[in-house]
Amino acid sequence: MPLVCLTDFKAHAREQLSKSTWDFIEGGADDCLTRDDNIAAFKKIRLRPRYLKDVSKVDTRTTIQGEEISTPICIAPTGFHCLAWPDGEMSTARAALAAGICYITSTYASCSLEDIVATAPGGLRWFQLYVHPNRQLNKQLIQKVESLGFKALVITVDVPKIGNRRHNITNQVNLMKNLLLKDLGSPEKGNLMPYLQMSPIDSSICWDDLSWFQSMTRLPIILKGILTKEDAELAVKHNVHGIIVSNHGGRQLDEVPASIDALTEVVAAVKGKIEVYLDGGIRTGNDVLKALALGAKCVFLGRPILWGLAYKGEHGVEEVLNILKNEFHTSMTLTGCRSVAEISRDLIQFSRM
């Protein structure tokens, strides 16, 4: 039986993966209220279609940070892709290249950055950074990703401490120690990634530290994990280039707003000065349309990419992306949008559920 929607891929992945791997991918923080609300919140938004418009040609292309992508559906940073498929992030990178979209590679990648780049030359990649307490190691890693051709630096801000993920505690998951990493070695030999993956995240980083990162790289800096207008205003003040509205898939602080619910105030706060993106809860083409109508420049997929990997590696990821792109194309057509630029706030309303 063919898999026809993202929910099908989720069900298949649950059957394929070990319980501990499934719990690691799907688990949220505490009672998982935010994880579940990320999806439920989209269902409280209704569409307002416009008809009798010429939609014989619908163009899903857009740009992020000046780079063209085939559709505003990209790949969020998630770690340890080899848990879902042997080739791990290399398969993900090839699928992103084939789809013509951006792939944000995680600090916790299970493949070396060199292998990820070599397997999909020409792909649009950003790099997600968990800040290490050792500034010199951060500097070496940033210089490395810049030299490898990554186009942006995504700094995750919502993990000064790992959230209370009960499934991981129950299953005694310690990926840092148990997973066979590809780059094992000392940082002195240039093998930075495993050393960073085995180390704590810097809980002292604050707004004034951003100038240090800006001083060492020409890459645009994106902050991932912003949920409030206050932090969005500070991001603009500190000259970052973009924000990913995200609650870490509900894996950090439970009982925070769903990403789509936080999006409106963040978009309003930046006043068009920087690009705003969203991750969390995207499962259908309608979800993508709703996020763009509320001001997101594009959306990023987390768990569904891992479901695709578990199905058929890079081809599974390609299927996930193609299904969502086709759904989004249908959503645009049936609401009267011929281009991404025509998607506006007028297309949605909030239901009284």
Side-chain angles (χ1 to χ4, degrees):
M1 240 171 98
L3 306 188
V4 299
C5 62
L6 269 57
T7 305
D8 288 347
F9 283 86
K10 178 178 181 179
H12 184 275
R14 185 166 197 165
E15 293 177 359
Q16 291 291 113
L17 299 171
S18 69
K19 182 182 184 300
S20 61
T21 295
W22 175 254
D23 287 348
F24 171 72
I25 292 171
E26 289 302 308
D30 294 317
D31 294 321
C32 299
L33 297 175
T34 295
R35 181 200 66 181
D36 296 343
D37 199 27
N38 273 345
I39 298 168
F42 276 100
K43 306 312 175 190
K44 299 174 185 175
I45 304 171
R46 294 290 179 261
L47 299 174
R48 302 180 66 250
R50 300 297 307 278
Y51 296 122
L52 292 176
K53 299 175 76 172
D54 180 1
V55 286
S56 57
K57 294 181 180 178
V58 172
D59 186 358
T60 63
R61 291 176 299 171
T62 189
T63 62
I64 52 172
Q65 298 300 321
E67 300 274 354
E68 185 175 290
I69 50 178
S70 67
T71 188
I73 303 164
C74 297
I75 299 178
T78 53
F80 307 113
H81 287 197
C82 71
L83 289 172
W85 191 259
D87 275 353
E89 288 81 6
M90 290 190 290
S91 290
T92 306
R94 290 192 293 267
L97 176 61
I101 60 166
C102 178
Y103 163 37
I104 307 179
T105 304
S106 171
T107 294
Y108 293 125
S110 47
C111 299
S112 73
L113 296 179
E114 290 84 355
D115 286 346
I116 293 168
V117 171
T119 199
L124 176 58
R125 280 175 293 272
W126 295 356
F127 182 77
Q128 175 271 332
L129 177 70
Y130 284 116
V131 178
H132 189 275
N134 184 320
R135 286 292 177 90
Q136 188 59 31
L137 289 179
N138 291 317
K139 182 177 181 180
Q140 286 178 249
L141 183 54
I142 292 167
Q143 290 172 342
K144 178 178 182 178
V145 299
E146 189 166 2
S147 69
L148 285 170
F150 286 78
K151 297 298 184 183
L153 180 67
V154 179
I155 300 177
T156 294
V157 301
D158 60 357
V159 190
K161 180 181 179 180
I162 298 295
N164 187 36
R165 304 172 189 177
R166 294 174 184 168
H167 285 109
N168 289 357
I169 298 169
T170 301
N171 293 327
Q172 296 183 320
V173 170
N174 190 337
L175 290 170
M176 312 310 178
K177 292 180 180 177
N178 296 340
L179 196 66
L180 178 61
L181 300 168
K182 307 300 181 185
D183 265 346
L184 279 175
S186 69
E188 289 77 14
K189 295 179 180 177
N191 298 314
L192 286 170
M193 293 295 283
Y195 187 82
L196 289 166
Q197 290 167 341
M198 301 280 282
S199 304
I201 297 168
D202 189 353
S203 60
S204 72
I205 184 172
C206 58
W207 288 102
D208 289 341
D209 293 315
L210 291 177
S211 60
W212 182 82
F213 292 97
Q214 291 161 336
S215 72
M216 74 173 65
T217 181
R218 296 185 299 273
L219 296 178
I221 291 177
I222 317 293
L223 299 185
K224 178 179 181 290
I226 300 295
L227 290 172
T228 63
K229 64 180 181 180
E230 292 86 354
D231 280 348
E233 289 168 352
L234 283 167
V236 172
K237 179 181 177 182
H238 286 83
N239 300 310
V240 304
H241 289 79
I243 287 171
I244 302 177
V245 175
S246 170
N247 52 43
H248 218 99
R251 296 163 72 83
Q252 277 301 104
L253 180 62
D254 200 17
E255 302 180 49
V256 300
S259 296
I260 192 67
D261 288 339
L263 178 62
T264 302
E265 74 170 78
V266 171
V267 168
V270 305
K271 299 176 180 177
K273 294 176 182 176
I274 60 176
E275 293 182 352
V276 178
Y277 320 106
L278 175 138
D279 80 9
I282 299 288
R283 298 294 181 266
T284 68
N286 280 352
D287 294 342
V288 180
L289 187 82
K290 291 170 184 178
L292 268 61
L294 286 170
K297 184 71 169 167
C298 85
V299 302
F300 288 90
L301 293 180
R303 291 182 179 96
I305 298 301
L306 297 171
W307 303 339
L309 274 178
Y311 178 52
K312 281 195 300 193
E314 69 183 278
H315 301 298
V317 176
E318 285 181 34
E319 286 191 39
V320 165
L321 293 170
N322 284 332
I323 285 171
L324 201 57
K325 181 179 179 180
N326 289 335
E327 287 182 358
F328 175 57
H329 187 280
T330 300
S331 300
M332 287 181 64
T333 305
L334 295 180
T335 53
C337 298
R338 293 159 292 194
S339 70
V340 169
E342 292 186 0
I343 300 173
S344 69
R345 178 66 174 77
D346 295 338
L347 288 175
I348 62 169
Q349 65 185 35
F350 289 86
S351 68
R352 298 174 180 177
M353 292 177 67

